[in-house]
Amino acid sequence: KYAKGTVVSLTASPAAGWHFDHWEGDLTGTTNPATLLMDANKTVTAVFGQLILLTFTSASTVPGVGTVQNEDIVAYDAGLNTWSLYFDGSDVGLSGFAIDALARLPSGELLISVDVGGNLTGLTGGPSGTAITNADIVEFTPTSLGANTAGTWSFYFDGSDVGLTTTSENMDALAVLPDGKLLISTTG
């Protein structure tokens, strides 16, 4: 309860993979944070939109972003019909790799598999140091995203543990199920 005449500040805080879109009810518009004069009972709803994350198999031109590489991730906001650079792979050591499988965890970390084996600078926890294969999954914990991507890499899944041991067994899609289990697809 607020005393009549009190001005309150409202801040909409989206979860990872979502963005604040607008206010509805007794507060309208897109200003965030926003203020509201409490002169009666009020109902306010913050409306959020989900971002769709995409990667490309080769360098591609994306509206409003420009050219992105195959180690980058772009976000499409269907509600606003806008594109943005979500993850700049060259900032965090992915140059020379192409992202070919991707999932975002509810807490914002990214699970990534790449097209070829190699060494990923800064990777921790891997069975072979910084070496990864195209059947492995690494986890990226961001401290910032977008044009100045930064964060840390850790090893998440060793494909050889489940028999993915040839270069033709490339992981090409992945998802995390609600119970935390991985769902993967491979070529070859």
Side-chain angles (χ1 to χ4, degrees):
K1 284 236 34 102
Y2 294 95
K4 188 173 184 177
T6 301
V7 175
V8 296
S9 178
L10 300 173
T11 302
S13 300
W18 294 79
H19 75 280
F20 169 72
D21 189 64
H22 65 278
W23 300 105
E24 291 181 350
D26 290 310
L27 179 62
T28 59
T30 59
T31 302
N32 186 29
T35 58
L36 183 65
L37 174 63
M38 299 304 294
D39 54 3
N41 288 336
K42 303 279 182 162
T43 301
V44 175
T45 302
V47 178
F48 297 93
Q50 190 169 20
L51 300 175
I52 301 167
L53 301 184
L54 302 165
T55 64
F56 299 95
T57 57
S58 61
S60 300
T61 302
V62 177
V65 177
T67 301
V68 296
Q69 303 303 317
N70 58 4
E71 73 264 14
D72 298 331
I73 301 169
V74 296
Y76 177 67
D77 184 324
L80 299 175
N81 192 30
T82 59
W83 294 87
S84 61
L85 179 64
Y86 187 82
F87 173 92
D88 186 339
S90 65
D91 287 349
V92 291
L94 279 187
S95 295
F97 295 102
I99 298 172
D100 58 2
L102 165 68
R104 181 182 43 228
L105 298 175
S107 52
E109 293 89 351
L110 298 172
L111 300 182
I112 293 173
S113 184
V114 295
D115 63 332
V116 297
N119 287 301
L120 180 56
T121 303
L123 177 66
T124 61
S128 302
T130 60
I132 57 174
T133 72
N134 62 356
D136 295 332
I137 300 172
V138 292
E139 179 179 356
F140 182 74
T141 303
T143 54
S144 66
L145 290 165
N148 296 303
T149 298
T152 57
W153 292 105
S154 57
F155 203 83
Y156 191 84
F157 175 81
D158 184 350
S160 68
D161 284 349
V162 294
L164 301 176
T165 57
T166 67
T167 57
S168 66
E169 296 171 317
N170 178 41
M171 192 176 306
D172 65 343
L174 71 102
V176 180
L177 301 177
D179 64 2
K181 292 179 182 174
L182 286 173
L183 177 63
I184 64 170
S185 168
T186 63
T187 58

